[in-house]
Structures are given as structure tokens and as C-alpha cells.
Amino acid sequence: MSQVHKIVIVGGGAGGLELATKLGNRYGSANPGSQKISITLVDKNRTHIWKPKLHEVAAGIMDLADQELDYIAQAHWHHFAFRIGELIDIDREKKEIRIGPFLDDMGQSVTPERLIPYDTLIIAIGSLTNDFGTPGVEKYAQRLESLADAKRFHLRMINACLRAESQHAPLALNQLKVAIIGAGATGVELAAELHRTTRQVISYGMDRVNPDKDLKVILIEAAPRILPALPERVSAAAQTLLADLGVEVITGAKVEEVFLDKLRLADGIEIPAELIVWAAGVKAPDFLHEIGGLESNRANQLVVLPTLQTTRDSHIFAMGDCAACPWPEANGGKGGIVPPRAQAAHQQASHLFAQIENIVQGKPLKAYRYRDFGSLVSLGKFSSVGSMMGGLIGGSLMIDGFFAKIMYLSLYKLHQLALHGWVKVILDTISRLIHRRTDSIVKLH
């Protein structure tokens, strides 16, 4: 360990940023032993936001000033390096990655294409939605894969309301209709939040729009029920709550084609909609398919060993949604891969952090074992539904209502703790509670 061991993490999502922060705190330039390890985080964006929160940005209920985190600032505070750019290629022989140039919103170059050397490379790029080649999705449907996507959807939603308010002609069939394709966690959460936020927007002096009559959110799922990856009773409870909100749920319906102002189902039924969101399917980015000669599966995920090392290169690791990590306990012991969830990325980041000394010294690594703590889905400001501790008690404990909402919020707090530590998270939480209390008192008077 006389030379500096270069650790490069590609992807600043839930797992990648947590790992870079922990490694920076332990081995960064401000700590003893920092001459042994250098940490570099690479991401194509300037800022980070927890991906499960994107539906809140799209619905317009999140204060980005509080939740958006600048990578450069985080790198400075926690003693690691940050390089902006998108991964283009990996040269395994030279042990270096090539990242593309970063352009500003005017298309001008900010940083050039660069080569970054590594001794250990950790790929944590995350996942995208999978449109399965459905015609029209790429051209007409909105996705919620990034902060830019969420902001764009929110702006389109506001513009749709303003357009409806200002026009003198009757509303067209598709106006103020939002069709969400895919009733997984993202689709269900977005449907619930949109019901509330669109009505808030209309209440701000838009007298010509009747929210109960004119606004409509439609949730479409190809599987027989919504939230197909969760227990059936959780799915049933979520559907009941959505029905109470006035969200129309259509299950067992495969979307055949998407158009500018409507979508067509496989049975020929057409559903008019002004805003169409594609939230179905999950895959890793296409460019990861056999990048650098690494093994990948049909969903473009890099195939890894239980140690999270890629199968064809022990110096390259993959974690989070972009990794096909074995899960022997899945499907009743038949085996499978770890599901693409934020809790898995968090666990894998903690595992690799604990193994970093063995990685640097070339010692045998311990295998990662996924622990399923269940899943929670947010259904508005005061309610959530889900199953907890499923992998620990051999079954599932269903929870809903306010308690489930508290548990859902606690998952985000765990992410914040990994990035900021106890002191900042506690002070920020107290500050927000005081601010909300003050706002409530002012409104009452």
C-alpha cells in the first residue's frame, strides 16, 4: 500500500454517492492514511436527488432548495473528488475509463472528453424505464428518470391547467387527463400525488376549471393488479386508497401504441390524455451492454458475483439497479437477482465500504447478502401502504396509514444520514418542523 490506490465510482445515485461520502470521510484528504486511497465520483449531472422522490418533483410538492444536493459541494465537505461527465467506455487493460464532454444548456463545452485511471472501479449508474419497443413512447410519453424529466413534467402540467383556464372553447376530450402507464411504485405514487396537487393548482384562482369534473388521472397496468411486485393485500389496499382519491385504475391492459393526445390498448380501446407518463419496466442504460467486454444480461445489467465483482474482471464492481446480483433466497429458495430498490443500493454501499481494506490489499472478499426489509409506497401527504420485514419473519407484515407514512419518511432519513450525518439531519428536521408550525400559526391568523 505504498502507492495511492485509485477508487473511481461512476454514478452518484443513492448507492454511489453514499459510498463516495463514506469513503471520503474515512480515507479523504483530511484524514490520516489519506495518502493510501483516493476517491473520485463521476456523474453526468451536477446535482443529486434521491430518485424515489422524483414523483414529488413532478407533482410539484417538493422544495428543491432543501432536497437537491450539489456534487461539488458534497465532494468538498467529505473529501473526495468529483468529475462531471457520462461514462463512454472502459479500457480494462489500461485500467481507465473514458467520460464524455459536459455541455451547458447552450450546447457549449464546459469540460472536454477525459480519461480517468482507476485501480478499483465501481459502477453504480442506476436504471431507466423499459418501453419494450412500444411505438410512440420515445416520441410522445414523458418519463421520470431524472430531475430534468420531473421538472419538465411539472411545467407541462401547470401549462395544461393555464391553457384550460384561458380558453373559451369547451375542453377537448384529452385535456386535463393524465395517463400513467405502469402501476409500480413510481406510477402509483405519482397518481396519488397528482390528484392532490392538480387541485391545489386549480384552487389558485382558476374559476373555469372544475377539478372534480375536468381533472382525471388514469393509472394503467398490464399485470392483473397494481404493485405486482408486492403482496396482493398491499396491492388491494393501495387500489382502494386510489379509488377513494378518484384515480381511475385499469389493470390487465397492455399499451399497444402511444400518440400525441391518446394511447391505444391491445384490445383496441383508445384513452385520450394530454399528459402521458411511461413508468413501466426497468432496465440498465443501453450503453452498459457488454461495455468493456463485461458480461451483461438482457436488461443491460452487469452480471456480478456475490462479492459484487463483475464476472470477467475482479477489479470492477457493480452495485444498485445496474447490477444483476444473485439472490439465492428469492422465489421461495429457487433463486433470482436482487430487486432494483433503493434499500438494495444502500446495503451494497455499506457492504463495499466495509470491504474496502480487503479490496485495496487484494485479500478475499466477503459475499454480499441482500436483506429484504419489505416495501412501502407513498399515497399522499398523510398515508402510505406496504409490507415490512418480509425477509426476516418469513412472511410479510402489512402496514398502512400514518404509521406507514412515518416508516416511508424514515427510509429517506437513512439516506440523508449516510450523506450528512446525525447532527445536520436532526437540526434540519427540527428547523423544518418549526417552519411548518410557524406557517400554520400565520395561516390561522
Side-chain angles (χ1 to χ4, degrees), residues 152-215:
R152 189 180 305 113
F153 174 84
H154 180 64
L155 181 60
R156 289 189 62 192
M157 182 187 72
I158 296 297
N159 287 342
C161 294
L162 292 172
R163 187 181 302 113
E165 169 66 16
S166 62
Q167 73 183 47
H168 295 285
L171 295 179
L173 287 176
N174 69 308
Q175 278 192 271
L176 299 182
K177 307 295 190 298
V178 180
I180 302 171
I181 305 168
T186 298
V188 169
E189 291 177 336
L190 179 61
E193 294 291 2
L194 281 179
H195 174 270
R196 181 168 65 90
T197 56
T198 50
R199 279 154 178 77
Q200 286 182 337
V201 170
I202 295 301
S203 69
Y204 296 153
M206 296 188 184
D207 302 326
R208 293 185 176 182
V209 178
N210 184 331
D212 295 324
K213 177 183 176 182
D214 300 327
L215 290 172

Side-chain angles (χ1 to χ4, degrees), residues 356-395:
I356 206 67
E357 290 285 352
N358 289 336
I359 292 173
V360 172
Q361 297 177 21
K363 294 181 178 180
L365 305 180
K366 292 183 179 179
Y368 162 72
R369 182 180 179 185
Y370 175 62
R371 300 178 66 192
D372 183 11
F373 291 104
S375 299
L376 289 167
V377 178
S378 174
L379 292 169
K381 187 175 182 180
F382 299 110
S383 183
S384 290
V385 64
S387 60
M388 294 296 292
M389 313 299 284
L392 299 182
I393 62 176

Side-chain angles (χ1 to χ4, degrees), residues 136-400:
V137 172
E138 187 68 30
K139 186 174 182 179
Y140 298 117
Q142 283 270 292
R143 302 175 191 249
L144 293 183
E145 297 171 347
S146 67
L147 183 58
D149 290 338
K151 288 180 177 179
R152 189 180 305 113
F153 174 84
H154 180 64
L155 181 60
R156 289 189 62 192
M157 182 187 72
I158 296 297
N159 287 342
C161 294
L162 292 172
R163 187 181 302 113
E165 169 66 16
S166 62
Q167 73 183 47
H168 295 285
L171 295 179
L173 287 176
N174 69 308
Q175 278 192 271
L176 299 182
K177 307 295 190 298
V178 180
I180 302 171
I181 305 168
T186 298
V188 169
E189 291 177 336
L190 179 61
E193 294 291 2
L194 281 179
H195 174 270
R196 181 168 65 90
T197 56
T198 50
R199 279 154 178 77
Q200 286 182 337
V201 170
I202 295 301
S203 69
Y204 296 153
M206 296 188 184
D207 302 326
R208 293 185 176 182
V209 178
N210 184 331
D212 295 324
K213 177 183 176 182
D214 300 327
L215 290 172
K216 190 173 185 180
V217 178
I218 308 160
L219 184 62
I220 304 165
E221 171 58 45
R225 59 186 177 87
I226 67 172
L227 300 173
L230 299 186
E232 189 170 350
R233 54 182 176 169
V234 175
S235 171
Q239 183 155 344
T240 299
L241 288 169
L242 289 174
D244 292 341
L245 290 174
V247 175
E248 181 180 351
V249 177
I250 303 174
T251 56
K254 182 181 178 181
V255 175
E256 186 176 75
E257 189 169 358
V258 174
F259 302 90
L260 174 64
D261 57 355
K262 65 183 179 181
L263 58 88
R264 184 171 63 233
L265 303 180
D267 59 7
I269 294 177
E270 294 186 344
I271 300 175
E274 186 169 9
L275 295 174
I276 300 173
V277 181
W278 186 274
V282 176
K283 67 174 183 177
D286 291 339
F287 72 85
L288 277 187
H289 182 67
E290 295 190 350
I291 188 171
L294 299 175
E295 183 184 3
S296 59
N297 63 12
R298 294 176 61 184
N300 301 325
Q301 294 173 302
L302 298 178
V303 181
V304 298
L305 304 171
T307 56
L308 302 181
Q309 293 167 296
T310 54
T311 54
R312 295 175 183 169
D313 195 321
S314 61
H315 300 289
I316 300 178
F317 296 72
M319 58 179 283
D321 293 2
C322 71
C325 178
W327 184 21
E329 296 84 5
N331 301 316
K334 295 180 181 179
I337 63 173
V338 174
R341 296 177 182 171
Q343 62 172 303
H346 172 76
Q347 291 176 27
Q348 290 169 352
S350 298
H351 174 80
L352 285 178
F353 175 70
Q355 293 296 302
I356 206 67
E357 290 285 352
N358 289 336
I359 292 173
V360 172
Q361 297 177 21
K363 294 181 178 180
L365 305 180
K366 292 183 179 179
Y368 162 72
R369 182 180 179 185
Y370 175 62
R371 300 178 66 192
D372 183 11
F373 291 104
S375 299
L376 289 167
V377 178
S378 174
L379 292 169
K381 187 175 182 180
F382 299 110
S383 183
S384 290
V385 64
S387 60
M388 294 296 292
M389 313 299 284
L392 299 182
I393 62 176
S396 62
L397 174 65
M398 179 175 165
I399 59 174
D400 59 10

